[in-house]
Amino acid sequence: MSGQSVDDRLAAMGIKLPAASQPAAKYANYVIVNDLLFVSGKGPSGNPRGKLGTDYTTEEGYAFARETGIEVLAVLQSALGSLDKVKRAVKVQGFVNASEAFEEHHKVLNGFSDLLLEVFGDQGVHARSVFGAVSVRDNLPIIVDSIFQVEV
């Protein structure tokens, strides 16, 4: 995007990346195979608890998904040393902890997708899928796993 570094774009957006969160169980934060970096499932910062459709609105879910994107960016930064080594977002998969009647999973995951587009421009365009889940770890409202093509 116009020669501007990803760090410069984040600063312009007022985003300061936190330290990468650590895995919640016995798995790696990420794995690199060839030029693909697979990020393990991440949730929003602050560990909110509850379901979309009963405890949270779609708009709140969107914000949680965006926060989750920031968590993923922190993992990428930790793994690569620079977000400028991200060639493109490849795949995003979201699991929305939702009530049985909730039907706006796609609008929730847009919070994550929109962030990738803002940060990486055209390289942030990705394939994706989203699922409603009856239960997720720690009763988080959303968990997202993702795959990126990177410079190795």
Side-chain angles (χ1 to χ4, degrees):
M1 280 176 60
S2 67
Q4 188 180 39
S5 76
V6 175
D7 286 337
D8 290 343
R9 279 193 296 283
L10 288 173
M13 295 167 62
I15 296 174
K16 182 173 179 356
L17 294 181
S21 60
Q22 295 304 306
K26 294 182 180 180
Y27 57 88
N29 248 352
Y30 65 89
V31 172
I32 298 174
V33 177
N34 299 319
D35 66 344
L36 295 178
L37 191 151
F38 297 77
V39 180
S40 292
K42 292 291 175 187
S45 60
N47 294 314
R49 306 285 195 258
K51 290 185 178 290
L52 277 290
T54 53
D55 303 308
Y56 299 112
T57 65
T58 299
E59 293 75 22
E60 289 170 313
Y62 178 99
F64 289 141
R66 187 173 178 88
E67 289 174 18
T68 301
I70 292 171
E71 291 287 321
V72 168
L73 293 176
V75 171
L76 292 170
Q77 175 77 30
S78 172
L80 301 171
S82 170
L83 292 175
D84 290 319
K85 291 185 177 180
V86 174
K87 291 183 179 180
R88 73 163 299 121
V90 176
K91 173 77 177 185
V92 169
Q93 186 167 262
F95 300 89
V96 177
N97 189 8
S99 68
E100 188 176 314
F102 188 76
E103 296 181 348
E104 296 188 322
H105 309 80
H106 59 294
K107 292 179 181 178
V108 168
L109 193 55
N110 280 347
F112 190 99
S113 296
D114 287 348
L115 178 69
L116 292 185
L117 293 172
E118 292 169 27
V119 171
F120 297 115
D122 290 342
Q123 288 72 36
V125 176
H126 52 274
R128 85 174 200 187
S129 52
V130 61
F131 304 94
V134 69
S135 172
V136 300
R137 81 169 160 80
D138 297 330
N139 199 29
L140 293 171
I142 186 169
I143 293 177
V144 179
D145 64 272
S146 47
I147 303 169
F148 297 84
Q149 183 183 25
V150 298
E151 292 177 23
V152 287

